[in-house]
Amino acid sequence: MKHYICILLISISFSASSANQDYIYPNNSPSYSNYGSVGLIQMPSARLQDEGTIAFNWVNNDPYTRGSIIAYPFSWLEASYQYTDINNAYYSLVKEFSGNQTYKDKSFDVKLKLWSEKGIYPSIAVGARDLAGTGIFGSEYLVASKRYRNLDFSVGMGWGTLSGNNIKNPFSYISKEFDSRTGANTDTLGGDFNIGSFFSGQAGLFGGVEIFLPNMRGSRLKIEYDGTDYGKEGFPFGASSFGLAYKPVKLQESKFNFGFIFPISDNVHLRAGYSKGNTFSLGLSLQAGMKGKNPAIKKKDNFKPVENADVVKFVVNRGGDEYLYKSALRYLNERNMPLQKANLANKNFEVVYAQNTFISYPRATGRVYRVLDSILPDEVVDSITISNINGGMILNTITIDREKFNLYKDVEFAKPLLRNAVIESDTHNRSKYAFTPTINRPTNFWKIAPSLRSQIGGPDGFYFGDLALAFHSETIFKDNVTLVASGAAGLYDNFDGLKLASDSVLPHVRTDIVSYLKESRAFHIKRLQLNQFFNPINDLYFKISAGLLETMFGGIGGEVLYRPFTKTWGIGAELWQVQQRDYDQLFKFRDYKTVTGHINLYYEEPRSQILFAVKGGRFLAQDSGVNIDFSRRFNSGLRIGAFFSITDISKSEFGEGSFDKGFYFHIPIEFFFDRHSKGLSGFGLKPLTRDGAAILSHSHALFGVTDQGNEFNITRTWEDFYD
């Protein structure tokens, strides 16, 4: 014990002395713990990353190998999903069922910042581990962190598995119900929130320090006093703890743990640790901050000015309306923002355009305006009205006086321009436009790209996946009639190892996924969906769709959505008659048919930018209930969200996991490239694939199609207008 204390004092003394010598400590953002969230080594801290950060953390710390996905939708909220391999227990005792595969545990963790560090006051956070899993890592904690020069101290109190250094539970003075704590849920279906045990039972203390080393690119040393009760965590005593465990865990020989962090870059950290006095650990963390509009990779497709604009403007002025329309058509088409319609009346020039390049609507509108302003004669046009069209529906109309536009153009000051802009909804009144260029129909857009699918976890093996060559296309027959098609042919997979059949007592609307995966080695059609859109009056939208709507179902149905332009809410409904597709995912169908439909409610809270979406109705397996989704979108286009569903089936009918839940990220594709792109790369994770609460996954849902038909979604990124 004495030599540990000496090391701690020497390190602190050295660091404090170094701080007095004006050393620079770069890359001093918080780092991750062995439990997959920001912290010390085994212990949590009150630190969080910046909002809009997404991270992956991996660590091997016997007997656990843990992979974590961490998201920060707010600067005060850390949410993480943990997938842990526990190598002192088997997945099952039936070798034909799971072979020699070791036990897997899935859980959600959360941490909330209660107070930010300010002056002499520390940052304070409260958190919980293993919120909705088996509970074998279940714990809660209250922790404070304080930075002094290059030292970041943390001290806290824990419950559950963090009660190793026992003290009386302070909540016991409030109620005797906090005296005892229920055990882990290892004999249940898992997935429940064991709220009754929170902050109950014995409490314990923990603490530590993170020491940033001078002139070492952000490297830091960690020393902590471990508060883990290793007799409560996992399966510590082998078979006597859990029937599937085949050996005990190493006993703790020391309460002091040591760790070292080496940053390869600002966003990539390597780490090593020594805990319990007998266990080495190795880890890696990757993170990316995606909050703001500034890209990680600088964009090269900046605004392209019109060459010899003064000459063009002179010719247009002499040529009359025909030259005006055709010049606008030419220069917008050259910039991949094709003009659909145009009209000149009362010195106002109005255009309707389409675009599939910019995720920021003001950036697209601003570039259209800059092109038009540079070629339209000042004597003829005083103001410009720009309407954006999607699915044949005009979703927004922005009118700006040219004098105001040019007043702020050189300084790129968009905020005062917003006060002079008229932003409103509109409908597609085709008769009011004097110029409608001929557009050859049908028009087709397509691409071929590699596709990677993954199936993680299960008794057959930890990871199954395939690499395929995928084809995606969209054919536009009319402005409001489109055909969306996608298919793929497998190149490589390891699906032969998948053998577990579904045990679901519900109709197998999702749990026959093994059959779908195996049959998809040959060419298969993922989607072949015909859509027709309508916008008869302002704020009211309709969609009718038919075809192969997703990989497992085809049919016919539609949506209606009322979305007031100036409000941040919407209400809609959808109804579908569907039949289950055959496993080969071509044109054959299985016998199962059903009707599914929902009433859909949406509300986006403007200050926090949290979107709440509620679907209530009948799911694919003929169960009824409510799906609740909440997400936050950042100005970069990143969306971080989570969902859960409650239906009228019992936990035993639902099966393992108890109820449907999961989280997802929608990451802008342009984040990874040097050119703007409107597309998003989706990543979602559900702990288990079950049949309950299954929702039809049709393409071009109206709420997404009409995203720019909402004033708030235009003004939120208005600073991009001059970009």
Side-chain angles (χ1 to χ4, degrees):
M1 177 68 74
K2 289 183 179 179
H3 65 280
Y4 290 133
I5 296 175
C6 288
I7 293 173
L8 177 61
L9 292 175
I10 290 171
S11 299
I12 293 175
S13 175
F14 170 77
S15 301
S17 173
S18 300
N20 290 332
Q21 299 176 32
D22 250 356
Y23 286 120
I24 298 175
Y25 301 94
N27 192 9
N28 59 5
S29 63
S31 58
Y32 297 89
S33 74
N34 289 341
Y35 283 82
S37 58
V38 164
L40 294 165
I41 306 162
Q42 300 280 80
M43 300 297 100
S45 72
R47 302 302 182 197
L48 287 82
Q49 302 289 3
D50 292 336
E51 64 181 13
T53 298
I54 294 176
F56 169 77
N57 188 57
W58 175 90
V59 66
N60 180 267
N61 183 40
D62 187 65
Y64 310 121
T65 300
R66 179 178 283 112
S68 306
I69 298 173
I70 311 104
Y72 297 85
F74 300 96
S75 60
W76 48 266
L77 174 61
E78 174 189 79
S80 59
Y81 175 82
Q82 324 290 343
Y83 198 106
T84 306
D85 175 69
I86 303 175
N87 62 31
N88 73 319
Y90 289 118
Y91 196 102
S92 80
L93 296 178
V94 182
K95 192 167 185 178
E96 293 77 9
F97 176 66
S98 57
N100 293 322
Q101 187 181 178
T102 49
Y103 191 88
K104 304 298 187 293
D105 184 77
K106 306 166 188 175
S107 63
F108 288 99
D109 294 4
V110 67
K111 178 163 61 177
L112 302 171
K113 184 187 291 185
L114 303 178
W115 180 269
S116 296
E117 183 174 359
K118 189 175 182 181
I120 64 172
Y121 299 103
S123 180
I124 300 174
V126 62
R129 292 176 176 171
D130 204 352
L131 266 174
T134 58
I136 59 177
F137 300 104
S139 59
E140 303 81 49
Y141 57 85
L142 185 66
V143 62
S145 296
K146 183 73 180 75
R147 181 79 178 262
Y148 176 72
R149 294 183 176 177
N150 61 317
L151 308 176
D152 195 13
F153 296 95
S154 294
V155 62
M157 180 184 300
W159 292 261
T161 61
L162 287 175
S163 61
N165 306 312
N166 290 346
I167 62 170
K168 182 175 175 60
N169 187 347
F171 291 111
S172 296
Y173 295 106
I174 300 173
S175 172
K176 293 299 182 183
E177 293 183 0
F178 289 101
D179 283 340
S180 61
R181 183 182 184 91
T182 57
N185 299 323
T186 53
D187 295 324
T188 75
L189 294 172
D192 281 328
F193 292 98
N194 195 12
I195 298 175
S197 68
F198 285 3
F199 302 99
S200 298
Q202 291 178 322
L205 299 177
F206 61 85
V209 61
E210 189 167 1
I211 306 167
F212 295 88
L213 303 177
N215 295 327
M216 289 188 66
R217 299 176 53 194
S219 298
R220 74 283 306 263
L221 176 69
K222 294 183 177 183
I223 305 172
E224 71 178 9
Y225 184 62
D226 196 342
T228 306
D229 185 341
Y230 291 98
K232 297 179 179 178
E233 180 184 81
F235 314 128
F237 308 115
S240 63
S241 296
F242 183 49
L244 300 179
Y246 59 86
K247 68 177 181 179
V249 176
K250 291 179 184 178
L251 297 176
Q252 185 181 37
E253 297 177 16
S254 171
K255 285 187 175 292
F256 282 93
N257 302 329
F258 301 89
F260 180 74
I261 303 291
F262 177 73
I264 295 177
S265 68
D266 289 350
N267 298 320
V268 182
H269 287 185
L270 296 175
R271 69 175 181 276
Y274 185 67
S275 59
K276 297 169 49 175
N278 54 26
T279 303
F280 287 97
S281 64
L282 292 173
L284 167 71
S285 64
L286 311 171
Q287 69 177 35
M290 302 182 184
K291 173 186 176 181
K293 72 170 186 175
N294 294 325
I297 300 175
K298 189 174 173 129
K299 298 293 179 281
K300 294 182 179 179
D301 54 343
N302 297 321
F303 173 71
K304 180 183 176 182
V306 176
E307 294 183 5
N308 302 314
D310 290 338
V311 175
V312 174
K313 187 179 291 189
F314 176 80
V315 173
V316 168
N317 193 26
R318 295 290 297 273
D321 290 358
E322 182 181 357
Y323 274 45
L324 187 147
Y325 293 138
K326 290 185 176 180
S327 295
L329 173 67
R330 172 189 170 183
Y331 290 109
L332 288 179
N333 286 2
E334 285 179 355
R335 288 155 180 80
N336 295 317
M337 292 182 289
L339 184 145
Q340 309 289 301
K341 300 179 186 301
N343 190 63
L344 176 64
N346 301 319
K347 288 197 167 185
N348 175 255
F349 187 71
E350 182 175 358
V351 298
V352 177
Y353 81 102
Q355 67 94 18
N356 197 34
T357 302
F358 300 104
I359 200 168
S360 169
Y361 309 131
R363 180 180 287 120
T365 302
R367 294 201 176 188
V368 171
Y369 202 106
R370 290 166 75 175
V371 170
L372 298 177
D373 181 68
S374 63
I375 65 172
L376 299 178
D378 299 333
E379 304 87 348
V380 177
V381 177
D382 288 339
S383 62
I384 300 173
T385 296
I386 299 173
S387 299
N388 184 249
I389 193 170
N390 191 22
M393 303 179 291
I394 291 181
L395 297 176
N396 65 70
T397 296
I398 301 175
T399 302
I400 300 175
D401 182 84
R402 294 181 72 184
E403 182 180 354
K404 297 296 184 183
F405 170 81
N406 286 288
L407 180 63
Y408 307 113
K409 181 176 68 173
D410 291 339
V411 292
E412 298 185 355
F413 202 3
K415 188 172 289 187
L417 182 66
L418 178 60
R419 294 194 292 266
N420 294 281
V422 178
I423 304 174
E424 54 194 350
S425 63
D426 200 355
T427 55
H428 198 166
N429 181 2
R430 293 168 172 79
S431 63
K432 74 175 183 178
Y433 299 100
F435 178 71
T436 301
T438 300
I439 301 176
N440 294 324
R441 299 292 194 206
T443 304
N444 180 261
F445 305 92
W446 62 273
K447 67 177 180 179
I448 296 177
S451 172
L452 180 66
R453 290 184 299 180
S454 299
Q455 187 78 5
I456 300 175
D460 300 323
F462 174 70
Y463 178 84
F464 291 93
D466 75 335
L467 177 65
L469 192 63
F471 170 81
H472 305 274
S473 78
E474 183 169 4
T475 303
I476 303 174
F477 295 102
K478 295 174 61 177
D479 285 348
N480 65 332
V481 179
T482 66
L483 177 68
V484 180
S486 63
L491 299 175
Y492 171 80
D493 68 77
N494 64 343
F495 292 149
D496 284 333
L498 286 168
K499 55 184 180 290
L500 181 64
S502 170
D503 62 350
S504 176
V505 299
L506 299 173
H508 294 184
V509 297
R510 294 298 184 212
T511 54
D512 281 345
I513 186 172
V514 170
S515 298
Y516 282 97
L517 289 173
K518 286 186 174 182
E519 290 289 328
S520 66
R521 289 165 165 163
F523 174 77
H524 58 283
I525 301 171
K526 295 184 176 183
R527 177 174 283 123
L528 188 63
Q529 178 178 322
L530 184 68
N531 303 305
Q532 185 167 12
F533 301 94
F534 304 93
N535 177 210
I537 61 174
N538 285 4
D539 307 330
L540 186 63
Y541 307 95
F542 293 88
K543 181 188 83 166
I544 297 174
S545 300
L548 306 178
L549 303 174
E550 52 149 277
T551 56
M552 297 185 185
F553 283 90
I556 187 169
E559 278 189 276
V560 59
L561 175 67
Y562 176 63
R563 190 174 189 178
F565 185 77
T566 59
K567 307 296 182 183
T568 58
W569 57 268
I571 182 170
E574 57 184 303
L575 185 66
W576 305 91
Q577 171 71 55
V578 295
Q579 185 169 355
Q580 191 169 27
R581 296 178 62 189
D582 198 32
Y583 298 144
D584 65 6
Q585 297 164 67
L586 292 174
F587 294 102
K588 294 185 293 184
F589 289 85
R590 297 174 62 79
D591 293 335
Y592 181 73
K593 298 179 181 179
T594 191
V595 174
T596 179
H598 298 87
I599 300 295
N600 304 322
L601 304 174
Y602 307 93
Y603 172 69
E604 186 161 14
E605 201 286 309
R607 294 187 63 182
S608 64
Q609 298 188 21
I610 298 178
L611 173 64
F612 297 92
V614 180
K615 286 180 175 286
R618 192 182 197 219
F619 298 103
L620 284 171
Q622 301 179 18
D623 52 324
S624 298
V626 177
N627 171 273
I628 299 175
D629 184 295
F630 45 96
S631 62
R632 187 186 185 199
R633 180 169 67 182
F634 295 87
N635 288 349
S636 64
L638 169 71
R639 185 181 291 278
I640 301 174
F643 65 89
F644 66 92
S645 300
I646 301 172
T647 75
D648 58 1
I649 57 175
S650 66
K651 293 178 182 178
S652 59
E653 288 176 299
F654 184 88
E656 185 181 356
S658 297
F659 66 98
D660 193 45
K661 52 194 170 292
F663 70 93
Y664 57 89
F665 312 128
H666 292 164
I667 301 174
I669 292 175
E670 67 178 27
F671 185 84
F672 305 101
F673 300 99
D674 61 2
R675 304 186 72 82
H676 289 286
S677 174
K678 196 177 181 181
L680 298 171
S681 176
F683 173 82
L685 200 152
K686 295 171 64 172
L688 293 159
T689 298
R690 305 301 300 175
D691 293 313
I695 296 174
L696 185 72
S697 180
H698 57 93
S699 177
H700 287 57
L702 277 180
F703 196 78
V705 171
T706 62
D707 188 62
Q708 54 198 305
N710 180 263
E711 185 178 27
F712 179 68
N713 289 333
I714 300 167
T715 58
R716 77 162 86 209
T717 55
W718 188 259
E719 67 273 11
D720 296 341
F721 191 88
Y722 285 113
D723 187 6

